[in-house]
Amino acid sequence: MLDVETQLAIIRRGVEQIVPEEELRQKLERSLRIGQPLRVKYGIDPTGIDVHLGHTVPLRKLRQFQELGHQAVLIIGNYTALVGDPSGRDQARARLTPEQVERNARDYLSQISKVIDLSRTEVVHNGDWFSRFSFLDVLNLASKMTVQRLLERDDFTKRLKAGTPIYLHECLYPLMQGYDSVAVRSDVELGGSEQLFSLLVARDLQRDAGQEPQVAITLPILRGLDGVRRMGKSLGNYIGVGESPFDQFAKTMRIPDELMPEWFTLLTDRSSEEIARLTDPQRTHPKLAKMQLARDIVSFFHGPDAAEQAACEWERQLSQRQDPSEIPEVHLSYQDIPEGKMNVCRLLTRLGLTASNSEARRLIQQGGVTIGPERTRISDPNLELVLQDGLILRIGNNRKIVRIRWRA
């Protein structure tokens, strides 16, 4: 293992708080002295099926602990997901069924394996212990926290003042997350900045159980592609870890310039000196810096060769305004469309480029639809388009593209 100061320098990078940091130092010193790795816990609730870059911020920190020689403990929160984490929420989460949670959890580990080494990770489900709880066990756990302490949470306080309902099951979430730490005897827990309350609840429960309390390490919430709101699938501002190299690259190139220091720090292993140079417009052009960021992100998930190919394809498509090398095709014929022509709004929806005729009309009115090799812009939503073999239709700069294969 590396010496304590070197480990602390690596651990501190990109974190928001270490509570309390002196206890972390003591744990690291003891770990080095007796040769016993720290147990570093991170929990993820399978409330959706896509792991995105926002989720990878604490996962990358967990990976750093692995590389320092410590034991990663990953908790799949199949029972906490049934409650829903109220942290940072201004209303209750929609309840999930056990079947939905189980479905969502199936693909999580394969996605997470792109970030951490699962062969060296202790993976557990918190249903392993909560499914055995009796009602008396629930009452005993609930007795460990007062309502006054619970209302110290900013999210609950805001909802109380706003008259927004706070449901009783939500109050159990921090106790459940805290009990997870007791169950796995964690030395350190990682979480987002909004989870500090739950991470500290775990310290109280561990003391009550006769364990040494864990150290809480919080990490910033990654802002999404819009540069304002937290990354999230529901907001449409996310990059999934399972997306193709080109999609990851192209989406990264859309972020605001001012977001680059944050993304370089939280999503790459580059030094602070390198990040300062890359994000200084006097030393590096913002486009070149962003392309390097995109390469770093794609390389992490798909390898350097895929990153270079994605960069070349992005330059070809967007900078040189060329179509992708491979274009999805849709086969149509007179049997499908006897007239051999169709209203352009209906056609865009038929081809899957838009969700509805009204969306197609809006995009056409905004100048976002082009056809043919010359990229002729469609301006009339009432246009009857004659269907020809090989005709290409596009939404935006190749954001969505289809080639028609027409059979007479």
Side-chain angles (χ1 to χ4, degrees), residues 101-120:
V101 171
E102 183 181 351
R103 262 196 318 271
N104 293 344
R106 286 174 192 157
D107 199 38
Y108 257 49
L109 287 179
S110 64
Q111 297 179 69
I112 289 170
S113 68
K114 297 175 183 292
V115 186
I116 62 174
D117 184 351
L118 283 181
S119 68
R120 296 190 291 133

Side-chain angles (χ1 to χ4, degrees), residues 129-130 133 141 174-184 202 205:
W129 44 88
F130 285 127
F133 265 40
L141 185 60
L175 286 166
M176 293 174 73
Q177 183 175 344
Y179 187 83
D180 287 347
S181 296
V182 175
V184 300
L205 295 181

Side-chain angles (χ1 to χ4, degrees), residues 31-42:
S31 169
L32 194 61
R33 185 172 65 253
I34 66 176
Q36 181 175 320
L38 299 182
R39 294 176 59 76
V40 185
K41 167 200 170 192
Y42 177 61

